[in-house]
Amino acid sequence: MSRLLKLFLAALCLSAVAPISAADPLKTEIFNDAFRTLKVQKDEDFFALPVIRLGSDDVLTFSFDEMGDDYSLLEYRLVHCNADWKPSSLLDSEIVARFNSAKVEDYAFSSNTYIHFVNYRISIPNDDISPLVSGNYILQVFPENNPDEVLLQARFAVSEESIGVSGRASSHTDRGSAGPFQQLSFTLSAPKLDIRDPFSELIVVAAQNEAPESIRYIRAPLRASNHEIVYEHLPDLIFPAGNEFRRFESVRVDYPGMHIDSITFAEPAYHVWLAPDFPRADSEYLYDSTQHGRFLVREHNATDSDLAADYLVTHFSLKAPYVKDRDIFVQGEFSAFSLDKAYKMYYDFEDRAYHLSLPLKQGSYNYRYFSPQAPSAIEGDKHETSNEYSVRVYYRTPGARADRLIATAQFISQ
């Protein structure tokens, strides 16, 4: 890695390698600051969940970059997890054919970028590793001959899609209409699956925009009869409505794109200064068509943006009064909605604003400001917000050693 690149990364206070505890849920995360821009996408469907159907032709592509001029010898493996993303008790031989380890052989070097990097891609399933059973999975990447050092990992799932799911998300809730909440309701149709006791054999996991802090574990339905299992009027299916994600585009460096004030070059990289943001909790709702938190790597003139999109130092600014004991983070799919210190803003008392600088690859980004101490303080909760809700249905019979994933669904709030 070049000296300039080391300075570029060090100046941004990126996270260091973190230990992994088997007692904690496994999540999408980068543990080594030489790696960035971890993205999981199904086929060519930008808005699809990272879920493939068992035994189908579905393919998930995992893409990530390593900063520098040299590639590393990397390997990857799969970890099977239960509904709570803790490792299941299944053996490697039960979850994949052959060996549960393969080399990362698809890589390429960046092209005509100021910040040099190597882009790696892994496709699942492939000839080396193909999941044999349904459920949650973690793909872990590690250095060759050092499997204990996990460099990064990403969540995905394999579903049987053996039952039907129909439902909706609405601003008409059990707490009232046109308020700060939205409510999810859905029905499972399982005529071909012998679910004897849905109150003990099923776990349904619901989430809003795939944000980890929004995840709800529903242990029991409202009622069940005639192969229909109904989940409605349940308090755990009421979510704060939130607000539309904020957006910016950095697809080119010759002039500012959406929500960008200015672009400058300072060795060794371009700097992108976003227009100042302001709290929206007390503002009127404004409709915007967003990507529900996702990001898309793109350079406007490239045939392969994964290789031609450069890393730009992206400066966020939130004009807001300082509040003691309130942490504020910049969140989105690009950060895996992390509360890691790398995404925590600092307050500039002279400027009266929160600031954060991140090296982000050129593209189209959704983001929001989030405080774990006061989740709605910055963005607010607007019932009109278009949120994407996911539902995953897990099934475990008595004596089974792992949760099966039998159905998935997505709903957009109305």
Side-chain angles (χ1 to χ4, degrees):
M1 184 183 297
S2 69
R3 177 177 176 273
L4 286 176
L5 183 56
K6 288 181 179 178
L7 291 173
F8 167 73
L9 293 175
L12 296 173
C13 303
L14 300 180
S15 59
V17 175
I20 301 174
S21 170
D24 295 329
L26 299 177
K27 57 185 178 180
T28 297
E29 194 166 2
I30 296 176
F31 299 101
N32 187 301
D33 60 16
F35 294 85
R36 299 202 68 83
T37 315
L38 176 58
K39 177 78 173 177
V40 185
Q41 185 166 314
K42 178 182 175 182
D43 300 322
E44 299 298 322
D45 189 348
F46 179 71
F47 288 97
L49 296 174
V51 179
I52 55 177
R53 184 170 181 175
L54 186 65
S56 72
D57 294 328
D58 294 343
V59 175
L60 287 174
T61 300
F62 299 77
S63 174
F64 56 92
D65 296 334
E66 180 181 14
M67 302 296 100
D69 297 302
D70 300 319
Y71 73 92
S72 297
L73 298 176
L74 304 177
E75 296 187 11
Y76 64 96
R77 62 172 171 249
L78 302 185
V79 179
H80 188 268
C81 297
N82 289 316
D84 60 1
W85 290 102
K86 294 181 180 180
S88 73
S89 59
L90 297 183
L91 303 175
D92 283 353
S93 59
E94 296 176 278
I95 66 170
V96 295
R98 304 173 65 187
F99 299 103
N100 189 12
S101 180
K103 299 181 185 299
V104 181
E105 298 179 323
D106 186 355
Y107 63 87
F109 295 92
S110 59
S111 175
N112 297 319
T113 58
Y114 283 95
I115 301 301
H116 295 179
F117 59 87
V118 183
N119 177 254
Y120 300 87
R121 297 179 188 178
I122 301 169
S123 295
I124 296 293
N126 57 57
D127 291 339
D128 294 316
I129 292 184
S130 181
L132 296 177
V133 296
S134 68
N136 288 343
Y137 284 85
I138 289 283
L139 181 141
Q140 294 183 327
V141 176
F142 53 91
E144 188 177 67
N145 301 321
N146 189 7
D148 294 331
E149 183 187 353
V150 178
L151 301 171
L152 58 90
Q153 61 188 23
R155 288 180 175 183
F156 74 100
V158 178
S159 177
E160 299 174 18
E161 297 300 312
S162 54
I163 67 172
V165 184
S166 59
R168 69 186 186 120
S170 172
S171 61
H172 300 287
T173 78
D174 293 341
R175 297 187 186 182
S177 299
F181 301 103
Q182 294 177 350
Q183 187 159 350
L184 189 60
S185 60
F186 51 91
T187 298
L188 310 183
S189 176
K192 297 181 181 180
L193 192 62
D194 185 20
I195 301 176
R196 298 183 179 182
D197 185 4
F199 292 87
S200 64
E201 296 177 349
L202 294 181
I203 299 176
V204 175
V205 179
Q208 182 190 74
N209 302 316
E210 293 296 278
E213 70 272 1
S214 75
I215 291 177
R216 310 289 177 83
Y217 292 89
I218 313 301
R219 302 285 176 171
L222 177 69
R223 63 180 185 273
S225 62
N226 298 325
H227 301 295
E228 284 197 342
I229 305 165
V230 179
Y231 293 79
E232 60 184 15
H233 301 299
L234 299 177
D236 283 343
L237 291 178
I238 300 176
F239 295 77
N243 208 335
E244 306 291 353
F245 282 90
R246 302 172 192 255
R247 295 191 292 158
F248 74 89
E249 289 189 353
S250 56
V251 299
R252 55 195 304 166
V253 295
D254 53 351
Y255 72 86
M258 177 191 297
H259 199 57
I260 293 178
D261 251 1
S262 61
I263 301 174
T264 60
F265 182 80
E267 190 71 32
Y270 277 99
H271 289 246
V272 170
W273 304 87
L274 302 187
D277 288 315
F278 297 87
R280 302 187 294 177
D282 297 326
S283 302
E284 292 293 324
Y285 169 79
L286 292 176
Y287 172 76
D288 193 11
S289 180
T290 73
Q291 301 162 188
H292 300 295
R294 295 173 175 85
F295 74 96
L296 175 68
V297 171
R298 187 164 72 90
E299 200 283 332
H300 81 289
N301 202 33
T303 55
D304 188 343
S305 290
D306 282 341
L307 304 181
D310 212 336
Y311 276 85
L312 316 178
V313 183
T314 306
H315 302 273
F316 296 83
S317 175
L318 174 65
K319 295 282 189 177
Y322 175 74
V323 178
K324 186 180 179 181
D325 298 325
R326 179 182 292 176
D327 299 325
I328 296 180
F329 296 83
V330 178
Q331 284 193 331
E333 182 198 22
F334 68 91
S335 71
F337 292 90
S338 171
L339 297 180
D340 186 272
K341 66 179 181 180
Y343 303 102
K344 181 180 175 180
M345 307 187 81
Y346 73 92
Y347 196 77
D348 185 328
F349 286 91
E350 183 176 345
D351 191 35
R352 296 183 180 180
Y354 289 88
H355 293 281
L356 180 66
S357 298
L358 292 170
L360 295 178
K361 208 169 182 179
Q362 285 180 272
S364 175
Y365 285 81
N366 278 194
Y367 69 100
R368 70 180 184 187
Y369 297 106
F370 178 78
S371 170
Q373 293 86 12
S376 302
I378 305 300
E379 304 294 1
D381 290 306
K382 315 296 182 182
H383 68 89
E384 305 96 330
T385 302
S386 176
N387 286 305
E388 180 184 275
Y389 291 90
S390 63
V391 171
R392 293 172 170 87
V393 184
Y394 299 87
Y395 176 47
R396 185 189 289 209
T397 56
R401 294 165 40 238
D403 294 332
R404 294 163 51 188
L405 178 58
I406 58 174
T408 62
Q410 287 174 284
F411 305 103
I412 303 298
S413 57
Q414 303 294 320

